[in-house]
Amino acid sequence: MSSSPVSVQMDEVRSRAQSLLSSSGLAQDVKVEVHTMATIPLPLSEKYCYLPAEVMLRENLTGCSKHEALKALNKLSKALSILEKYGCNLATPTRPRYWRSVKHNNPVFRTTVDAIKGGRRVLFLYGYTNQQFDGLSFPDEITQPNTENVVAVTLEVMTLRSEVDMLVKGNHPHPEHFKDIIPFAIQQNEPVNDSKAVPPGDEQQGDKPQTPSPLTSSDPKPELASPPKPAAASAAVSECSLCGGASSLLCPSCDNQHFCDACDDLYHRHPSRATHKRDKLQKPKQETCTICGISAVHAQCSTCIQRLCANCDRLFHSHPDRKGHARTNIAPAKTSSPSLSPWECAHCTTVNEMRAVLCATCERPRLATAASTAVDSSISVPVSSNTDWQCKSCTVVNQGSSILCEVCERPRLATRPPVAPILTSPRSMPDLGAKWICQFCTFANTKPSAVCEMCSLPCKDSAGVSMPQSLQQMPSVFKDQPQLDVTPQPKPRLNMELKRQKTMRDDGLKLIHQIREAEKRGVSPEEVYAALCLCGSSNVNPCDWLTSELPHLLDEICAMAASVQLSYKVGNTGMKPVVGKCEREPEQNTAGGGGKLSRAEAKMAWLAAGGDTERAVRHLLRDRQVKMRELHSLGFQDMAQCEEALRQSGGELKGALSLLQRPLLEPFHQRIWIDQPEPPIDPKHPDKQRICRRLLALYNLPSWGRCELVLSLLQEPGVTYSLEDVVQAVKESHDKDFIRRLLNNECPCCLSIFPRSKMQSLTSCQCSVCHECFRQHFTVAVRDKHIRDMVCPVCSEPDINDPEQLDSYFSTLDIQLRDCLELEVYELFHKKLTEHALMKDPKFLWCCHCTSGFINDGDQLKVTCPSCNKSFCAQCKKPWEPQHQDVSCEDFQQWKRDNDPDYQRQGLAGYLRDNGITCPQCGFQYALTKGGCMHFSCSQCRYQFCSGCNNPYHKMKCKAPQCVYNGLHAHHPRDCLFYLRDWEPPRLQALLKRSGVNFNTDPSNGTQTDACGVMEQKDEDGQQVDSPCGVQTHPGQAGLCEKHYREYLVSLINAHTLDPALLYDIDELTRACQRYQVDTQRGDAEDDNAHHARLLKKLMEIPLGEKVPRNK
């Protein structure tokens, strides 16, 4: 990068932004710096050091037109915004939990980053370089992202997104750096005022090349004719005294009040004011375009000295010779209220009536803007003079080189011609050569004819609009006179009856389709019908019209109804007051007519009127009058409160009655709840209706029938339910048998009957117990048992040996025990749960002297328990002795065998004790033998495993392939003590002799004892107690009983990794192969020896047990 001042500024801003983003990781902290970097005038290759910005832009914009390029830039901006969030998540000090991977199936990722080219390259720059089947991730050896690199890439992503946004909006300060990538960027961002002014005479030179004149090159201020100034308004237009909009009439009889057209029509419809004479107010004449003469002036060109509308300005200045003309936008005059005054169409500028929803000329909706049919001028592509154009009069597509339409010969810039007014008076008949507009193709016919010259379709019926009056009133003139100059017109090509039937069928199918589509969107057929009455002549979807235009129309209906109410209030004659006359309160009744009306009432009236606005107003007033009379008959005299209640309830009489009765019942509620105590509910009270009313008031039951159901259940003989339990059950169902099942649930622990609402269940099973049994069970389990004993008291679920179930089970159990246990017991539960989590730490050690555990941070063999202050070896878990210093555990064990008299006296019993049982889950060691039951349960972690092979025991079907056991089982390898304990000692000795392994047959001290002294874990009175074996010994078994001597021989087999399959007979070999899913089928012409050898070979290919203890 060069050392120019701009580059130095870029480096300073980048370093400052990197430090800010590295410390906080928030995009808003570097918003100013990113904007500064985006506006620095540097080429893309110098501005972006990490991100291939130029390559990304070219890949995403190659071969796109201007409109497609703008869409591609918007898509690229969204993708860069998502990539920016990925970078900020990696740069923040508190990274999210799953920051290491990005999933491709994420819908946001798929529709943004994956939708552009180069998105995944940015993720590679962040560090997501490991490709996975479902996404990208950081490599396993990387524990932390490279923050410096991530911050640098993130800042460039944010800078590129800022530049792309400025290009889309057209306000980029330096678009010249993108001219090779986005050709239209300079045209779009080129300011109009900086363009060269073209003299008026040069604009008519056609396509001839222009040379700069001396006037424009030497004189910086060319003398241009001053543009004409718009005429000032004659007088300020005052506001309507009723709606506040622009007024158009003045009534001297009404104290010189101003009215708009809509309010004047409603207000002076009253018979007492129908004879008033109103004066029209002078409105300022709106200046029209100098080319089309129809649309309002939008811009003034100081070069052409013309005032043009928006459409003509866009077409006229699209010529290459007039692109640089300087124009000034002219703000349109403020119009009146769009809801209660005539409105002007934004597309064709036709002024329509107040009630019109669609434009009478172009049939576009009232709220549609000019942008709905033409692309916005800020992003529109200039229309080339060589492109095809569509005539707005006859809709024929002409060649780009033609100036006039080939059919109607109207100019290219001319708009659709206005429809000629209807002449109803015979004296005002035009001559026979008057023009008329075809209603089908909008072609202007210059000759009187019954059919159109362009489409050959007949003109409108006798009451038509566009047909000349001469054709409507004197059809015989042209029959009798021969037409010499007029060519004979072709007859209609279609049968009108068939056409009418086809039109009716198409309209019916279209209506059915619209109703079905509306039902999917939750719109009723009545609403569709009413909407079609207003927008059926246009192509507007009724559902879209109901969403966009109906609220506006309902507001107009409410305003019109309110205006009528106000007129009757002022006139005080004509229609009756809203609620009927009352001799004692006439003023109050009359004042009630000015209340607000809700949209819900207006919608109901509009639907009842079939979409007719005037009928809807009358229906709305009539319904409101009926409702007010009914409320008045019920005793509610305050009309203002009645009007407000009806408005809040949406016109519903029941809702309004509830709102009006609520304040009246408030003193009653205060009296019954405060002044005197409420007596308990007696189900056997003779007044059944009173009890039902109290149940409705107190327990909020859904219906009167549910109250009677509660009473019937409580009145059954021998019932022990409480009122609250019955009410809770009745709220859940109305089935009496189902309610009885809810109220009668037996606790499997205490065998008592409880309702379902007073039963507690765990998430791991379907068992339910009462609250008291649930609390007592877990209180005892927390205080006196291990944390793995906190299972269901009925079925002992879940399986504690499954770590996945264990974590989820304890997370939900903690929530249930929080409100169930006492504070001390709950704290003890958390303490045990913490110890259980610490046991998973590899540095956690159990003391061999006591039952305490702790974390050992040192790396020495000698460790000291903080609880009992006794030392032991961290590796072999044996009590520490001075001879163990600087000696390995194996050498120290051999030294004890050779030199320790106490150890020698114990003989093989001490050997079996030192090579006892070690828990594979927590590592706790037991100085016990493995004889007896092989199912061992660790007292520290409650892990259940086989003491011969350390494989876990499962209570149900496990995850092993093709496991068929549903009960308690474990999968033992063939060299496990589980199988070898059934072998006779001579057979085990033969296996050891075959491999040359020495074994003992005599006691080490040379004496024969009568009883075996090996320590075992025995169950005495329900408790696990360690005591000597005590079984009689036999000669030749090294002073051990036969069971422990077999265990001694098997330990030697496991220590030397000997395969017992070498001594299997054919039956044992077949059963072992079946356990390992090995095919035992005998081959054709295969003898016993070959079959045995083949099975033995296949079996020995399967490895021995991986977890079998192999201590030497």
Side-chain angles (χ1 to χ4, degrees):
M1 183 178 292
S2 62
S3 59
S4 60
V6 179
S7 302
V8 173
Q9 180 189 3
M10 184 70 182
D11 294 339
E12 293 177 354
V13 177
R14 182 187 284 116
S15 60
R16 185 168 64 253
Q18 288 179 356
S19 61
L20 290 175
L21 189 59
S22 300
S23 59
S24 65
L26 300 177
Q28 57 266 26
D29 294 346
V30 294
K31 186 176 181 180
V32 177
E33 286 74 12
V34 169
H35 181 72
T36 304
M37 288 190 293
T39 55
I40 290 179
L42 277 177
L44 298 181
S45 58
E46 297 183 17
K47 183 180 294 187
Y48 298 95
C49 303
Y50 297 88
L51 189 68
E54 186 173 352
V55 176
M56 289 183 65
L57 290 174
R58 289 186 185 277
E59 289 179 348
N60 289 278
L61 299 177
T62 301
C64 296
S65 62
K66 179 175 180 180
H67 192 62
E68 294 173 348
L70 289 172
K71 290 184 178 179
L73 288 177
N74 284 320
K75 186 186 298 183
L76 180 62
S77 177
K78 294 180 181 178
L80 291 174
S81 176
I82 300 300
L83 291 171
E84 171 189 328
K85 292 181 174 61
Y86 280 122
C88 291
N89 288 338
L90 294 176
T92 181
T94 57
R95 284 184 290 275
R97 182 178 180 182
Y98 303 103
W99 63 270
R100 296 188 60 86
S101 61
V102 175
K103 302 299 181 183
H104 291 167
N105 56 1
N106 187 344
V108 178
F109 179 88
R110 193 167 58 249
T111 57
T112 55
V113 179
D114 244 11
I116 66 168
K117 298 180 180 179
R120 297 196 182 185
R121 281 202 298 269
V122 180
L123 295 176
F124 271 70
L125 295 176
Y126 284 152
Y128 294 101
T129 57
N130 192 10
Q131 182 71 36
Q132 296 181 348
F133 71 95
D134 60 345
L136 299 173
S137 68
F138 276 81
D140 296 336
E141 62 271 10
I142 296 179
T143 59
Q144 300 290 336
N146 188 352
T147 308
E148 183 178 355
N149 181 71
V150 169
V151 169
V153 176
T154 304
L155 284 175
E156 293 193 355
V157 170
M158 298 166 68
T159 305
L160 181 59
R161 183 176 69 86
S162 180
E163 292 201 68
V164 170
D165 290 341
M166 288 190 290
L167 287 174
V168 173
K169 296 177 182 178
N171 56 1
H172 197 289
H174 304 288
E176 63 274 3
H177 297 301
F178 299 87
K179 62 182 180 180
D180 296 334
I181 307 172
I182 313 175
F184 66 85
I186 297 181
Q187 301 176 10
Q188 182 177 348
N189 291 271
E190 185 177 1
V192 179
N193 294 333
D194 296 338
S195 304
K196 180 180 69 175
V198 181
D202 294 344
E203 64 182 6
Q204 301 178 3
Q205 293 180 3
D207 298 332
K208 295 181 181 181
Q210 296 182 357
T211 57
S213 64
L215 178 63
T216 58
S217 60
S218 60
D219 190 2
K221 299 181 180 180
E223 295 183 1
L224 300 175
S226 59
K229 298 182 179 180
S234 59
V237 180
S238 59
E239 295 181 351
C240 176
S241 59
L242 296 182
C243 66
S247 62
S248 58
L249 298 171
L250 175 67
C251 182
S253 303
C254 298
D255 298 331
N256 293 326
Q257 292 188 20
H258 293 77
F259 299 93
C260 63
D261 294 336
C263 295
D264 175 75
D265 181 42
L266 295 173
Y267 187 78
H268 287 91
R269 192 182 299 175
H270 195 275
S272 62
R273 294 185 291 272
T275 58
H276 290 189
K277 294 183 179 180
R278 283 87 73 190
D279 300 328
K280 278 189 171 290
L281 297 177
Q282 294 294 331
K283 294 185 179 179
K285 184 177 180 182
Q286 189 177 18
E287 189 175 7
T288 58
C289 176
T290 56
I291 292 181
C292 64
I294 298 176
S295 303
V297 174
H298 170 71
Q300 174 181 334
C301 181
S302 58
T303 305
C304 306
I305 318 179
Q306 295 191 69
R307 300 169 69 82
L308 310 174
C309 63
N311 197 22
C312 294
D313 175 69
R314 177 175 60 82
L315 293 174
F316 186 77
H317 287 94
S318 63
H319 194 276
D321 298 337
R322 295 187 287 270
K323 282 185 178 178
H325 289 194
R327 282 99 71 192
T328 304
N329 289 336
I330 299 176
K334 182 178 179 182
T335 59
S336 60
S337 173
S339 60
L340 299 176
S341 60
W343 54 279
E344 180 180 356
C345 178
H347 180 264
C348 63
T349 69
T350 300
V351 179
N352 300 274
E353 296 181 357
M354 175 197 69
R355 301 181 183 87
V357 179
L358 301 178
C359 177
T361 302
C362 63
E363 296 183 348
R364 283 176 172 80
R366 177 175 187 170
L367 299 181
T369 59
S372 61
T373 55
V375 184
D376 186 51
S377 60
S378 61
I379 61 173
S380 61
V381 182
V383 179
S384 175
S385 59
N386 294 324
T387 58
D388 296 342
W389 56 278
Q390 185 180 33
C391 178
K392 296 188 178 181
S393 300
C394 62
T395 67
V396 173
V397 179
N398 301 272
Q399 296 182 0
S401 58
S402 61
I403 299 176
L404 300 178
C405 177
E406 297 177 358
V407 176
C408 64
E409 298 183 352
R410 289 182 63 83
R412 177 175 184 174
L413 300 180
T415 59
R416 183 177 178 179
V419 181
I422 304 173
L423 301 177
T424 57
S425 174
R427 293 173 295 180
S428 59
M429 285 174 34
D431 57 355
L432 299 180
K435 295 182 179 180
W436 59 280
I437 306 300
C438 178
Q439 61 169 329
F440 300 103
C441 65
T442 68
F443 178 72
N445 293 270
T446 57
K447 300 176 182 179
S449 174
V451 294
C452 176
E453 296 180 6
M454 179 57 57
C455 62
S456 300
L457 293 177
C459 60
K460 276 197 173 184
D461 50 9
S462 57
V465 175
S466 59
M467 185 177 178
Q469 191 73 16
S470 59
L471 294 179
Q472 298 179 19
Q473 297 183 2
M474 293 184 300
S476 60
V477 175
F478 300 101
K479 286 184 178 180
D480 301 332
Q481 296 180 1
Q483 299 179 2
L484 301 177
D485 299 332
V486 180
T487 58
Q489 300 299 326
K491 296 182 179 180
R493 293 170 292 179
L494 297 176
N495 189 312
M496 298 305 297
E497 180 64 22
L498 294 178
K499 180 180 178 181
R500 184 184 64 82
Q501 294 178 1
K502 183 178 181 299
T503 303
M504 291 176 61
R505 183 174 63 254
D506 294 342
D507 292 344
L509 293 175
K510 181 179 179 182
L511 179 60
I512 293 174
H513 176 72
Q514 289 175 342
I515 291 177
R516 289 177 178 174
E517 291 295 328
E519 288 178 347
K520 295 179 182 179
R521 300 171 61 173
V523 180
S524 64
E526 291 79 6
E527 293 178 287
V528 175
Y529 172 75
L532 288 175
C533 293
L534 295 178
C535 65
S537 59
S538 63
N539 295 326
V540 180
N541 192 315
C543 296
D544 297 337
W545 186 90
L546 289 170
T547 304
S548 60
E549 296 292 333
L550 181 58
H552 177 74
L553 180 62
L554 295 179
D555 291 339
E556 288 186 357
I557 292 175
C558 294
M560 294 167 64
S563 177
V564 173
Q565 286 182 336
L566 184 61
S567 66
Y568 284 109
K569 176 183 176 182
V570 175
N572 200 16
T573 58
M575 186 190 295
K576 295 181 180 180
V578 177
V579 298
K581 291 186 179 181
C582 181
E583 296 179 358
R584 292 175 293 181
E585 297 176 343
E587 296 85 358
Q588 187 181 18
N589 292 337
T590 305
K596 295 182 178 179
L597 299 167
S598 62
R599 281 187 179 179
E601 294 178 90
K603 184 175 182 180
M604 294 172 60
W606 179 69
L607 292 176
D612 191 342
T613 304
E614 293 184 357
R615 287 179 55 197
V617 172
R618 293 194 296 269
H619 195 279
L620 177 60
L621 293 175
R622 184 167 58 251
D623 285 352
R624 174 57 71 93
Q625 184 179 5
V626 171
K627 293 173 184 177
M628 291 293 293
R629 285 176 178 172
E630 188 168 353
L631 291 177
H632 179 68
S633 64
L634 294 175
F636 298 101
Q637 304 296 332
D638 192 344
M639 296 298 103
Q641 291 184 358
C642 295
E643 292 279 359
E644 183 64 21
L646 285 173
R647 188 190 65 81
Q648 292 181 6
S649 63
E652 292 186 1
L653 192 60
K654 293 183 178 180
L657 188 60
S658 177
L659 293 174
L660 293 172
Q661 288 176 341
R662 189 172 299 168
L664 299 178
L665 293 176
E666 186 64 27
F668 171 72
H669 290 160
Q670 296 294 333
R671 177 173 55 82
I672 65 175
W673 292 114
I674 298 177
D675 295 342
Q676 58 184 4
E678 183 70 18
I681 295 178
D682 184 10
K684 299 181 180 180
H685 195 278
D687 193 352
K688 182 179 179 180
Q689 291 190 356
R690 178 181 178 184
I691 300 301
C692 290
R693 286 195 298 268
R694 290 188 61 189
L695 288 174
L696 282 174
L698 293 177
Y699 296 101
N700 195 21
L701 288 169
S703 65
W704 184 272
R706 296 290 179 95
C707 297
E708 294 180 341
L709 183 58
V710 170
L711 290 180
S712 64
L713 289 170
L714 291 174
Q715 291 173 359
E716 291 180 353
V719 171
T720 59
Y721 320 133
S722 65
L723 177 61
E724 288 74 13
D725 295 339
V726 176
V727 170
Q728 182 65 28
V730 170
K731 284 183 178 180
E732 296 182 11
S733 175
H734 60 82
D735 188 359
K736 209 167 187 178
D737 295 334
F738 180 74
I739 293 173
R740 289 194 182 97
R741 290 195 297 271
L742 290 178
L743 295 173
N744 294 275
N745 291 274
E746 184 182 43
C747 175
C749 295
C750 63
L751 303 181
S752 300
I753 303 299
F754 295 94
R756 180 71 59 84
S757 59
K758 294 184 179 180
M759 300 289 286
Q760 182 76 33
S761 60
L762 296 173
T763 57
S764 59
C765 61
Q766 302 296 327
C767 306
S768 297
V769 296
C770 64
H771 291 314
E772 184 62 24
C773 293
F774 185 86
R775 184 186 64 80
Q776 291 183 2
H777 167 73
F778 283 101
T779 300
V780 174
V782 171
R783 285 179 175 173
D784 303 334
K785 297 182 181 181
H786 192 267
I787 192 169
R788 286 179 174 261
D789 292 328
M790 296 181 188
V791 293
C792 176
V794 181
C795 62
S796 300
E797 289 291 334
D799 186 7
I800 299 299
N801 290 331
D802 191 349
E804 296 181 1
Q805 290 189 14
L806 196 64
D807 295 337
S808 61
Y809 170 69
F810 279 128
S811 62
T812 55
L813 181 63
D814 181 31
I815 300 174
Q816 291 180 303
L817 297 182
R818 186 177 304 165
D819 300 329
C820 176
L821 300 180
E822 297 179 358
L823 181 60
E824 297 179 357
V825 181
Y826 182 71
E827 291 177 354
L828 180 60
F829 166 72
H830 263 274
K831 181 180 178 182
K832 290 189 175 184
L833 196 61
T834 304
E835 292 178 354
H836 173 72
L838 289 175
M839 287 171 56
K840 300 179 182 178
D841 196 318
K843 296 182 179 180
F844 183 82
L845 296 176
W846 286 108
C847 178
C848 66
H849 301 285
C850 62
T851 58
S852 300
F854 58 94
I855 299 294
N856 179 32
D857 294 330
D859 54 356
Q860 297 180 357
L861 292 178
K862 181 181 179 181
V863 292
T864 302
C865 176
S867 299
C868 63
N869 294 324
K870 294 182 180 181
S871 301
F872 61 96
C873 178
Q875 185 173 353
C876 62
K877 309 298 188 300
K878 299 293 189 301
W880 184 261
E881 296 184 19
Q883 291 79 9
H884 201 342
Q885 187 69 35
D886 299 332
V887 178
S888 64
C889 296
E890 291 79 6
D891 296 340
F892 172 68
Q893 194 72 15
Q894 186 63 37
W895 177 87
K896 288 195 68 175
R897 295 172 187 170
D898 298 338
N899 301 288
D900 191 352
D902 294 336
Y903 192 87
Q904 292 175 356
R905 282 193 297 270
Q906 294 175 4
L908 294 180
Y911 172 80
L912 293 176
R913 182 197 63 199
D914 293 339
N915 295 277
I917 301 173
T918 302
C919 178
Q921 180 76 11
C922 64
F924 193 82
Q925 288 188 348
Y926 298 88
L928 302 172
T929 62
K930 304 172 185 176
C933 181
M934 308 298 295
H935 182 194
F936 191 84
S937 179
C938 179
S939 61
Q940 298 296 325
C941 64
R942 291 298 188 272
Y943 185 70
Q944 300 180 22
F945 60 97
C946 174
S947 59
C949 60
N950 289 340
N951 284 343
Y953 265 91
H954 303 278
K955 295 181 180 180
M956 57 185 65
K957 190 174 182 180
C958 62
K959 299 179 181 178
Q962 299 181 356
C963 178
V964 295
Y965 300 102
N966 290 323
L968 183 67
H969 70 283
H971 297 279
H972 308 278
R974 61 181 178 274
D975 58 340
C976 177
L977 180 61
F978 181 81
Y979 296 117
L980 297 180
R981 65 181 176 177
D982 296 333
W983 286 22
E984 296 296 332
R987 192 180 184 190
L988 296 173
Q989 292 174 354
L991 180 61
L992 292 172
K993 290 178 182 179
R994 182 169 183 169
S995 301
V997 179
N998 297 326
F999 54 89
N1000 295 333
T1001 56
D1002 298 325
S1004 57
N1005 54 8
T1007 60
Q1008 179 71 29
T1009 57
D1010 295 335
C1012 180
V1014 179
M1015 300 297 294
E1016 286 185 335
Q1017 188 182 70
K1018 297 181 179 181
D1019 190 1
E1020 296 181 0
D1021 298 333
Q1023 296 183 356
Q1024 302 292 330
V1025 179
D1026 299 341
S1027 61
C1029 175
V1031 180
Q1032 185 178 0
T1033 61
H1034 299 280
Q1037 295 183 356
L1040 302 175
C1041 64
E1042 185 176 349
K1043 178 181 66 175
H1044 290 120
Y1045 187 65
R1046 291 179 182 177
E1047 180 183 347
Y1048 162 68
L1049 295 176
V1050 172
S1051 65
L1052 293 178
I1053 293 174
N1054 292 334
H1056 292 82
T1057 319
L1058 303 181
D1059 195 341
L1062 297 172
L1063 300 182
Y1064 281 173
D1065 56 19
I1066 188 61
D1067 295 334
E1068 293 176 329
L1069 190 60
T1070 302
R1071 288 195 298 270
C1073 290
Q1074 290 175 354
R1075 286 198 303 269
Y1076 288 106
Q1077 306 295 328
V1078 176
D1079 185 16
T1080 59
Q1081 187 70 26
R1082 184 187 295 268
D1084 296 337
E1086 187 177 24
D1087 57 2
D1088 294 341
N1089 294 332
H1091 181 58
H1092 184 277
R1094 182 173 59 84
L1095 292 182
L1096 181 61
K1097 182 180 179 181
K1098 288 185 178 181
L1099 182 61
M1100 294 188 67
E1101 291 177 356
I1102 300 174
L1104 300 176
E1106 298 178 357
K1107 299 180 180 180
V1108 174
R1110 306 190 185 279
N1111 300 323
K1112 295 184 180 180

